[in-house]
Amino acid sequence: MKPLLSERNCRKRAVEAELDSCRARLRTVEAQLLEVLQEKLRLKQEVEAWEEDMQQMVRERVRSQLQGESRGTLGARENSSTSRSSWIQLSRGQWGRRW
């Protein structure tokens, strides 16, 4: 009967060691998941800030264009493609905040 108890103890220790190993891997994966979620949140905030910047810039451009038209500074009749391109073309530095 002693060999049977010894064999059971060996298996029990092996299973406990495997369980400890799995727990350690689980902690590692949980830490990695937390890092990924934090990065996702940071990127989401950057995108939201960029969208806000773009909306503000478009509003300012449209307001400026409308003010110019109301003052008559744009000329009597511009064709629509020229008018549209004058406020849509943006230099690379005007796209959102600098991170």
Side-chain angles (χ1 to χ4, degrees), residues 59-69 71 74:
R59 279 192 298 268
E60 289 173 6
R61 295 275 179 136
V62 169
R63 183 178 23 245
S64 173
Q65 184 180 11
L66 291 174
Q67 287 174 350
E69 287 175 357
R71 291 182 186 142
L74 292 178

Side-chain angles (χ1 to χ4, degrees), residues 27-84:
R27 284 190 297 271
T28 300
V29 169
E30 286 173 340
Q32 290 172 344
L33 178 60
L34 182 59
E35 287 177 20
V36 167
L37 291 174
Q38 289 171 339
E39 178 69 5
K40 181 180 178 182
L41 177 61
R42 185 187 68 76
L43 291 172
K44 182 178 186 282
Q45 291 169 339
E46 280 187 34
V47 167
E48 288 172 351
W50 180 84
E51 287 173 340
E52 289 174 17
D53 287 347
M54 291 304 299
Q55 289 173 357
Q56 179 63 29
M57 187 174 59
V58 168
R59 279 192 298 268
E60 289 173 6
R61 295 275 179 136
V62 169
R63 183 178 23 245
S64 173
Q65 184 180 11
L66 291 174
Q67 287 174 350
E69 287 175 357
S70 69
R71 291 182 186 142
T73 59
L74 292 178
R77 288 246 185 213
E78 286 186 348
N79 77 33
S80 62
S81 63
T82 305
S83 175
R84 188 179 308 126

